[in-house]
Amino acid sequence: QVQLVESGGGVVQPGRSLRLSCAASGFTFSSYGMHWVRQAPGKGLEWVAVIWFDGSNKYYADSVKGRFTISRDNSKNTLYLQMNSLRAEDTAVYYCAKEDIVVIDHWGQGTLVTVSS
Amino acid sequence: SYELTQPPSVSVSPGQTARITCSGDALPKKYAYWYQQKSGQAPVLVIYEDSKRPSGIPERFSGSSSGTMATLTISGAQVEDEADYYCYSTHSSGSQRVFGGGTKLTVL
């Protein structure tokens, strides 16, 4: 079955960088778009970014545009999120999610990123 | 930026019908999707393309959309339906995606 396992979360100081990874299995990774979605403590879901199945298109939420970069390595079945210039408001659980024609149909369990000095 | 608006909370007694709305300017042209999230868990899709129900989702969950408003209806809500519910859709350009602010459903 579909499995999405995030890693790379942790505590980081404001202004620093962090890279998240998501290892995918149980489906043909190179055929599907992938997303990052985050959820700040006690808050709602916030869509962060999407990448097309072949990496040809990437879109970002206004709140992270210019600071975050989504990428993928289809040979390794892995999705990435490079996060630069981190701010306190980026503190959240970050979910990796699989798309099937627009709809997000599978989610990982999430990795916590805490931005604090 | 594009926004989807939901009521913060809805409360019903067991067996009653719960309705959660989601409004957005692009909804006449873009599908709405609904996710259920229970405390400490990842979200689960309960309605896709306005009104379709994924396999394994109880029949009491239904969806509809008219104009700029989509609605999730839970007919005969049960205690186990207590959760946060989020609508989700795409920007009219088809690029950015967005979640509504979420609605906390209380069944008691």
Side-chain angles (χ1 to χ4, degrees):
Chain A
Q1 77 274 24
V2 173
Q3 279 203 311
L4 301 169
V5 180
E6 302 92 340
S7 61
V11 179
V12 60
Q13 293 179 328
R16 304 297 290 263
S17 299
L18 203 62
R19 189 177 84 155
L20 305 182
S21 300
C22 171
S25 61
F27 66 103
T28 305
F29 181 72
S30 59
S31 295
Y32 293 91
M34 296 293 296
H35 297 253
W36 287 100
V37 177
R38 68 185 181 183
Q39 188 167 33
K43 302 296 185 182
L45 300 172
E46 180 185 13
W47 176 79
V48 173
V50 62
I51 185 169
W52 259 224
F53 68 99
D54 58 356
S56 60
N57 284 293
K58 306 172 186 181
Y59 299 104
Y60 300 91
D62 290 347
S63 58
V64 307
K65 201 175 296 182
R67 300 188 299 123
F68 289 13
T69 302
I70 189 172
S71 62
R72 64 192 298 160
D73 186 336
N74 285 346
S75 68
K76 295 182 178 179
N77 289 350
T78 302
L79 176 72
Y80 303 101
L81 184 68
Q82 177 67 43
M83 304 185 294
N84 298 333
S85 303
L86 282 161
R87 306 167 180 167
E89 54 264 37
D90 296 318
T91 294
V93 172
Y94 284 73
Y95 293 101
C96 160
K98 169 187 169 289
E99 174 181 284
D100 187 358
I101 311 177
V102 178
V103 64
I104 293 176
D105 61 351
H106 289 88
W107 302 69
Q109 285 304 303
T111 186
L112 177 62
V113 173
T114 303
V115 183
S116 173
S117 55
Chain B
S1 60
Y2 184 47
E3 292 183 358
L4 296 174
T5 302
Q6 297 181 234
S9 64
V10 168
S11 183
V12 297
S13 299
Q16 287 189 326
T17 295
R19 293 182 178 85
I20 300 172
T21 58
C22 171
S23 64
D25 290 341
L27 290 180
K29 297 185 289 291
K30 297 295 184 182
Y31 285 125
Y33 303 82
W34 291 93
Y35 292 90
Q36 176 194 68
Q37 186 181 34
K38 295 184 177 179
S39 181
Q41 298 181 19
V44 172
L45 181 70
V46 295
I47 293 291
Y48 67 101
E49 292 181 359
D50 291 343
S51 59
K52 299 177 182 176
R53 196 172 52 248
S55 61
I57 301 301
E59 289 185 9
R60 63 181 179 274
F61 288 87
S62 64
S64 62
S65 187
S66 177
T68 59
M69 184 167 289
T71 302
L72 172 69
T73 301
I74 307 172
S75 303
Q78 302 184 7
V79 173
E80 59 261 35
D81 298 331
E82 274 206 350
D84 294 321
Y85 290 85
Y86 297 89
C87 60
Y88 169 81
S89 189
T90 59
H91 189 276
S92 56
S93 67
S95 56
Q96 291 181 320
R97 317 301 168 87
V98 63
F99 285 95
T103 299
K104 182 175 183 61
L105 175 65
T106 301
V107 182
L108 56 78

